[in-house]
């Protein structure tokens, strides 16, 4: 049985790498769901339906955040770099370059 998230034979991958791949796939799926809800809400006319979609989208944001946090706990270099970018103000590209220099 093949899985799209693996680019190498799964039986050759460690449990940690398989878990990592699952979480990356989950992060992607949550991001897609957030986008789908955003699109649906932009065209929905019924206020009640729109409110339900907004509530559902907020759940997807939570799941996205949990997936990201899990991955950042596995990859300390990612955490170091993203600390320079996330929840900051100013130029995002400059912050990214600053974070990148911290892990070189």
């Amino acid at each position: 049985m093949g899985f799209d998230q693996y680019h190498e034979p799964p039986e050759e991958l460690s449990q940690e790498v398989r878990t990592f791949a699952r979480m990356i796939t989950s992060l992607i799926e949550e991001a897609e769901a957030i986008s789908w809800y955003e699109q649906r809400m932009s065209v929905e006319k019924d206020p009640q339906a729109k409110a339900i979609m907004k509530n559902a989208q907020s759940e997807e944001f939570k799941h996205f955040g949990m997936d990201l946090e899990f991955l950042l706990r596995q990859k300390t270099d990612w955490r170091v770099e993203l600390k320079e970018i996330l929840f900051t103000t100013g130029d995002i590209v400059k912050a990214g370059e600053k974070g990148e220099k911290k892990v070189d």
Side-chain angles (χ1 to χ4, degrees):
M1 174 187 224
F3 295 98
D4 289 340
Q5 74 247 34
Y6 301 125
H7 292 280
E8 299 295 331
E11 65 277 1
E12 293 181 25
L13 300 173
S14 69
Q15 180 61 47
E16 292 80 15
V17 170
R18 289 193 309 265
T19 296
F20 186 82
R22 287 185 201 110
M23 292 305 292
I24 287 286
T25 299
S26 181
L27 184 76
I28 292 166
E29 291 168 350
E30 299 300 343
E32 288 176 335
I34 291 164
S35 177
W36 296 335
Y37 280 116
E38 193 69 23
Q39 293 173 49
R40 291 172 188 155
M41 288 183 301
S42 75
V43 297
E44 183 54 57
K45 305 289 188 239
D46 185 286
Q48 184 73 49
K50 194 171 189 174
I52 292 167
M53 290 176 202
K54 186 169 181 63
N55 181 272
Q57 186 190 48
S58 71
E59 284 293 311
E60 305 302 344
F61 278 125
K62 178 182 76 176
H63 300 154
F64 181 90
M66 290 188 300
D67 290 346
L68 181 59
E69 181 61 25
F70 177 88
L71 293 166
L72 293 176
R73 289 180 185 188
Q74 308 308 305
K75 300 289 187 180
T76 56
D77 282 355
W78 289 13
R79 180 173 288 285
V80 168
E81 190 165 344
L82 289 184
K83 277 186 174 182
E84 296 297 326
I85 301 167
L86 299 176
F87 310 107
T88 63
T89 59
D91 188 291
I92 296 169
V93 174
K94 286 181 183 176
E97 290 169 354
K98 182 179 173 186
E100 189 174 37
K101 287 177 184 173
K102 287 195 169 192
V103 295
D104 282 343

